[in-house]
Amino acid sequence: MFLILRRGFATHSSLLCTSEKIVVPPLKMKINKSKVPKIREKDLEEKYITGWGPGGQAVNKTLNAVYLRHVPSGVWIKCHESRSLDRNRKTARKMLIEKLDLKINGEDSVQRQEERLASHKRNLKREKTRLKYEERRKEKETDQENSSNKEDNLEYIPEDNVKK
């Protein structure tokens, strides 16, 4: 599926130009995960703390929340996504990796790349919709011009001049 843009609206570097329109090839942007930091278990400080939130006394008394700190960078996470300690440990590690990636890589982090990709897709979709309605408007104007031209070609002949 190709997206067709009018001249002046395209900013993509590898565009194919036709006489009136610019054709954008399908988006093949991939997320680079090569810079995602790897964490070692010896660099982590892990504590189990009591939970919080809905669930009442059962949640508030059990040690099912996880406090995870990456000692070299000082980044920390508290996780209490579920009542299960094992699930919370796995989730906390994923969250810590995402937070470290964002801190270390900034705009090159996986999260920012995904946001840019989603934004780019949204913009392409908006442009496609705008072009669709612009095309419909032009077709409607053309149809109105054609119908008005037909009316202009009709000549009014008074009834007394009509041949019988």
Side-chain angles (χ1 to χ4, degrees):
M1 173 186 218
F2 285 95
L3 176 66
I4 299 173
L5 302 173
R6 298 248 180 249
R7 287 189 194 264
F9 292 99
T11 58
H12 198 271
S13 61
S14 60
L15 297 176
L16 307 172
C17 294
T18 61
S19 60
E20 291 184 13
K21 299 177 181 179
I22 298 172
V23 179
V24 179
L27 184 64
K28 293 187 179 179
M29 187 182 234
K30 292 186 179 179
I31 295 175
N32 183 7
K33 295 184 179 181
S34 64
K35 293 183 180 180
V36 176
K38 308 285 189 259
I39 56 174
R40 296 179 297 198
E41 287 297 318
K42 68 178 186 177
D43 291 341
L44 297 179
E45 177 186 317
E46 187 172 33
K47 294 180 186 174
Y48 307 116
I49 54 179
T50 57
W52 58 86
Q57 189 175 9
V59 171
N60 298 334
K61 288 175 95 176
T62 57
L63 298 174
N64 55 7
V66 177
Y67 173 83
L68 194 60
R69 191 176 86 132
H70 187 250
V71 177
S73 65
V75 175
W76 58 273
I77 290 287
K78 279 185 183 177
C79 178
H80 186 232
E81 298 283 320
S82 71
R83 289 186 175 190
S84 168
L85 181 64
D86 288 333
R87 272 191 257 153
N88 285 334
R89 288 181 72 206
K90 289 176 185 176
T91 306
R93 279 169 172 66
K94 288 179 186 177
M95 292 168 63
L96 184 67
I97 290 172
E98 290 174 5
K99 197 169 182 178
L100 271 173
D101 183 36
L102 190 59
K103 182 179 179 180
I104 293 170
N105 297 324
E107 287 299 314
D108 292 333
S109 67
V110 173
Q111 182 181 356
R112 294 283 192 250
Q113 290 179 44
E114 289 172 347
E115 289 171 1
R116 278 196 306 266
L117 182 61
S119 173
H120 187 68
K121 285 181 180 179
R122 262 193 321 275
N123 290 340
L124 288 177
K125 189 175 180 181
R126 281 186 195 138
E127 183 67 15
K128 183 179 175 183
T129 303
R130 187 190 67 77
L131 289 173
K132 178 179 76 172
Y133 286 112
E134 184 178 321
E135 191 69 32
R136 285 184 184 176
R137 183 183 53 80
K138 286 184 180 182
E139 286 176 8
K140 190 175 181 181
E141 287 175 357
T142 307
D143 290 345
Q144 287 176 352
E145 287 177 9
N146 289 340
S147 65
S148 67
N149 287 342
K150 288 180 183 177
E151 290 173 2
D152 290 345
N153 291 339
L154 294 177
E155 188 177 313
Y156 176 71
I157 302 174
E159 288 184 25
D160 12 325
N161 295 342
V162 176
K163 296 180 182 177
K164 296 183 182 178

